[in-house]
Amino acid sequence: AWRPACLELLLELCTAGSAPLRAPSIRLVVSMAAGEGVAQAAAVDQIAARAHSHAAEELEAALAAEEEEEAARRLPLYLALCNRSPSMLAALLAGFDGASAAAQATVQELLPGLLLHLPMEAVTEVLLAQLRGEPDASPPLAAASPLPLLALHVLADRATAVGGTVPAALTAGVLGLVSRLGPHGGAYAVPLLPFLDESQSVAVLPALLRLDKGDLTEALAALAHAEPPPLAPRALLLQLHLLKPEDGERGVPLKALIDAVQACINEREVFTRAELTAALEEVVQLDPLPLLTMRTIIQTMVNWPDAATAVMGLLRTLLEREVWATKLWGGYVRCCSMAMPLSRELFYAMPPAQLEAALASHPDVKQKLVAHARAERGAVPTAALGVLGL
């Protein structure tokens, strides 16, 4: 028969200063609370109730601990009981934000080991309940609780390690949270990016663009390097160009949009010359033309000099679409000037008024065109010759 006094002694040993004493004591308490080696059902209920009560007290003390050593001594019993009762994670998640810095550091160190062994569906249920319980008001991203984020990362890494996926309920719940938090929800989506489908990936892009530059770069890399990627590289670039920069709390910051496109271009193994030019071929057909069109074309030319022929085709399409009537004209002229002498024919094809204005801002280009026109006058349109003074 079990003796309450013996159980109390075991519970004391579960938080002893000596790790060799703590570990076997915790194993014994957990097994007894589960009914292992205890013959009487009533006794099992009493043992379990006392063990859980004591563990809850130790959790409260651990979360208030000012030293990591104390937190590390008080937490293991609670975490061990979570192995048998995953619903107990709720109290840990709920108490984390108000915990001491030492306790938070200890929890973040110990929790991943626990989550690697718990049933993923059970963790998902607890985690989603915690996320749904957050206030409706969107908090600043920096205030988002790091523990749910850590849990999401652990579950995602666990699924990736075995070539699997995360529960559909987790994906749906997190995407719902991202939608509710708006621009401040992007961090919650990052761990699950490799498991999203194309439409889900497109839906979270605006929230991702509210992340810090470093986090945004990592998020886009996660999308690009997923196997298979939820968005093909050219599709991701196209979707970024389709986003419209706006002012205000819920808009897409222009600077973030620029950083996102540049981050993609920098991933040369994924965003190859062929992927970039294929995406741009779609971009230059959009109406209206996206604001970042010329910047992306210029960066493609800079990063992939051998894409010059394809770039000339893009510039020709833009000229046919009367790009001079848009905000992109300055960037267009700059790009043509950078592409000389390949872009000579594009300058010659400009309407006289636009050619004159372009050459006024790029006198070096005018000198080169004049020299070429003098040498090959028959190949230059009459209107262009007039602008060149020939």
Side-chain angles (χ1 to χ4, degrees):
W2 73 285
R3 296 177 182 271
C6 293
L7 177 60
E8 293 302 320
L9 177 60
L10 272 177
L11 291 174
E12 288 183 18
L13 293 176
C14 287
T15 55
S18 170
L21 283 176
R22 285 201 306 270
S25 300
I26 289 173
R27 286 195 297 270
L28 183 54
V29 167
V30 171
S31 65
M32 290 173 62
E36 297 174 9
V38 181
Q40 299 174 323
V44 173
D45 292 339
Q46 294 175 41
I47 293 171
R50 179 63 188 124
H52 284 78
S53 172
H54 182 79
E57 294 169 2
E58 291 300 323
L59 173 64
E60 184 177 353
L63 294 179
E66 294 300 328
E67 299 293 336
E68 291 185 26
E69 181 180 357
E70 181 185 357
R73 177 171 59 82
R74 293 182 178 277
L75 276 171
L77 173 61
Y78 193 90
L79 296 180
L81 288 170
C82 286
N83 260 316
R84 301 294 182 103
S85 302
S87 60
M88 292 176 63
L89 280 173
L92 181 60
L93 290 168
F96 180 83
D97 287 345
S100 67
Q104 289 188 352
T106 303
V107 171
Q108 290 182 86
E109 180 182 351
L110 297 178
L111 185 64
L114 172 65
L115 295 181
L116 289 175
H117 300 97
L118 291 178
M120 194 174 290
E121 290 74 12
V123 177
T124 294
E125 183 178 349
V126 175
L127 187 55
L128 288 180
Q130 169 70 13
L131 295 177
R132 284 193 296 265
E134 292 185 359
D136 290 336
S138 301
L141 185 60
S145 176
L147 201 59
L149 290 175
L150 173 62
L152 287 171
H153 278 287
V154 172
L155 295 181
D157 291 344
R158 177 177 163 184
T160 300
V162 297
T165 188
V166 296
L170 181 62
T171 301
V174 169
L175 291 181
L177 175 70
V178 172
S179 176
R180 180 162 61 87
L181 296 181
H184 301 299
Y188 289 105
V190 172
L192 304 186
L193 290 176
F195 308 103
L196 303 184
D197 60 29
E198 182 173 353
S199 62
Q200 291 169 334
S201 300
V202 171
V204 301
L205 281 179
L208 296 181
L209 289 172
R210 283 286 179 172
L211 297 172
D212 293 336
K213 183 177 179 179
D215 293 334
L216 171 60
T217 300
E218 291 183 10
L220 292 173
L223 270 177
H225 290 282
E227 294 290 346
L231 275 174
R234 67 186 68 181
L236 176 53
L237 269 175
L238 177 62
Q239 291 299 327
L240 288 173
H241 283 80
L242 285 170
L243 293 174
K244 296 180 180 180
E246 299 172 2
D247 295 327
E249 178 72 6
R250 301 188 72 85
V252 176
L254 176 59
K255 178 63 166 61
L257 201 51
I258 292 173
D259 290 340
V261 173
Q262 190 61 52
C264 291
I265 293 174
N266 292 342
E267 290 280 341
R268 292 173 62 91
E269 292 183 4
V270 177
F271 294 89
T272 62
R273 178 190 64 186
E275 292 291 335
L276 284 172
T277 55
L280 285 169
E281 284 172 0
E282 295 188 59
V283 169
V284 298
Q285 297 293 343
L286 295 174
D287 187 19
L289 289 165
L291 186 61
L292 295 189
T293 300
M294 289 314 310
R295 189 185 189 283
T296 306
I297 291 177
I298 290 173
Q299 289 301 313
T300 298
M301 191 168 61
V302 169
N303 284 270
W304 296 95
D306 56 350
T309 300
V311 169
M312 292 307 104
L314 298 171
L315 296 176
R316 191 171 298 107
T317 297
L318 289 172
L319 196 61
E320 293 169 355
R321 296 195 59 194
E322 301 183 357
V323 65
W324 61 81
T326 73
K327 296 179 179 180
L328 307 184
W329 179 240
Y332 182 90
V333 173
R334 179 187 172 209
C335 186
C336 288
S337 70
M338 293 171 61
M340 283 287 288
L342 283 176
S343 59
R344 274 195 308 248
E345 300 304 319
L346 295 172
F347 279 106
Y348 292 150
M350 292 177 186
Q354 280 68 39
L355 175 59
E356 185 173 4
L359 297 183
S361 60
H362 294 273
D364 57 321
V365 173
K366 183 174 183 178
Q367 292 176 1
K368 295 174 183 177
L369 291 179
V370 167
H372 173 262
R374 283 174 175 163
E376 300 184 35
R377 190 182 186 93
V380 181
T382 302
L385 287 172
V387 175
L388 295 173
L390 300 176

